[in-house]
Amino acid sequence: MLRRSAGPGSRVPRCGPEITSPDGVEAQTCVLIQGQDTWARTYYRNATGRPLDAYLTLMGPGERNVRTHCAPAGGGEPETCETPRERSRGTAAEYSAVAEFAERGGRAALLLRSGSNSPTATGG
């Protein structure tokens, strides 16, 4: 299991399933709320043996989006990536997050998409 404790005082209102691509990328993406702050976190493991490009996006009410670039090394160890925290602007149900992992390069193939509210596993 990739997910770790969210920390003292944190709650995890929405996490999608832990999914794995045929290429060897595993991820689980969550929206976290602590006090007045909301942010996204993805727990991942890159077992492809090569560095990848990844982006984590937090989507909130009023079309508010926060996007962070993640740099998954090819070492196969569990890692995390987070968006900056922002002041909550609505309810937990109004937030979602998605992480996308792709090969490096201009026309990189999408290897995995992991969402905080994905009903089923999907991969590239």
Side-chain angles (χ1 to χ4, degrees):
M1 179 154 178
L2 294 172
R3 188 171 59 184
R4 300 180 188 122
S5 169
S10 293
R11 63 185 179 117
V12 182
R14 182 171 296 134
C15 286
E18 185 176 317
I19 57 175
T20 304
S21 76
D23 300 294
V25 181
E26 298 175 51
Q28 183 177 37
T29 302
C30 303
V31 172
L32 303 164
I33 296 176
Q34 182 177 25
Q36 298 285 324
D37 295 330
T38 302
W39 70 102
R41 178 183 295 159
T42 189
Y43 303 89
Y44 65 88
R45 179 178 294 130
N46 173 12
T48 65
R50 60 192 187 278
L52 302 176
D53 280 330
Y55 290 92
L56 174 62
T57 305
L58 173 67
M59 296 161 283
E63 298 183 25
R64 171 84 176 135
N65 294 328
V66 178
R67 188 174 186 191
T68 298
H69 179 259
C70 310
E77 294 298 317
E79 299 180 60
T80 61
C81 181
E82 294 185 356
T83 62
R85 295 178 186 212
E86 69 166 26
R87 186 172 181 93
S88 298
R89 299 170 190 245
T91 66
E94 294 178 273
Y95 283 89
S96 62
V98 65
E100 296 178 309
F101 297 83
E103 295 175 348
R104 286 204 172 156
R107 294 188 190 194
L110 181 65
L111 301 176
L112 183 78
R113 181 177 289 132
S114 169
S116 62
N117 56 353
S118 301
T120 59
T122 58

